[in-house]
Amino acid sequence: VQLQASGGGSVQSGDSLRLSCTASGRLFSSHVVAWFRQAPEKEREFVAAARWNQQRTYYKDSVKGRFTISRDSAKNTVYLQMNSLKPEDTGIYYCAVSSAYDTDYRAYRNWGQGTLVTVSS
């Protein structure tokens, strides 16, 4: 499975962005699609994840209530709707696929190329 992430940009604090992650190749109900982010000089961190059948979603505590992960199976795409953005949300956002849910980026083998999100105060 190859992944293509898009939708990043430069916004002001409080604004919204929607990131997209489109997969080429079939995703199965057992797959987990996750979003991670990496700020300069920091380790990549988990943001949100969803099982492809979307029965379960997972979020980093600091984004709960602000970010929503969803999918469009017809488009083979997972979205990350980000509202009420804060400067600390700044980073390169990556999508990844794994056969099991994990918050450790090292558990994921398939990665998109990343899309930059910059939030100014």
Side-chain angles (χ1 to χ4, degrees):
V1 176
Q2 292 186 322
L3 305 171
Q4 179 77 29
S6 61
S10 295
V11 297
Q12 297 291 317
S13 182
D15 285 349
S16 298
L17 279 174
R18 188 179 77 161
L19 306 183
S20 300
C21 175
T22 300
S24 59
R26 186 175 177 183
L27 290 172
F28 296 92
S29 60
S30 58
H31 278 128
V32 174
V33 181
W35 287 96
F36 288 79
R37 67 187 179 194
Q38 188 164 17
E41 300 182 359
K42 290 190 175 181
E43 192 169 69
R44 195 167 296 190
E45 64 175 4
F46 170 79
V47 176
R51 297 196 179 277
W52 186 240
N53 63 14
Q54 213 177 14
Q55 289 184 355
R56 289 291 303 273
T57 56
Y58 311 86
Y59 295 96
K60 177 181 174 63
D61 284 346
S62 63
V63 308
K64 285 180 182 177
R66 299 190 298 123
F67 291 11
T68 303
I69 188 168
S70 63
R71 71 169 172 97
D72 183 335
S73 57
K75 296 182 178 179
N76 231 30
T77 297
V78 172
Y79 302 101
L80 184 67
Q81 177 67 44
M82 306 186 295
N83 299 329
S84 303
L85 282 162
K86 303 176 181 180
E88 52 263 42
D89 294 318
T90 294
I92 300 174
Y93 282 68
Y94 300 89
C95 58
V97 171
S98 179
S99 57
Y101 168 64
D102 202 308
T103 59
D104 188 336
Y105 68 91
R106 288 165 288 196
Y108 293 76
R109 295 288 180 266
N110 294 74
W111 290 87
Q113 84 287 6
T115 184
L116 178 62
V117 172
T118 304
V119 184
S120 303
S121 58

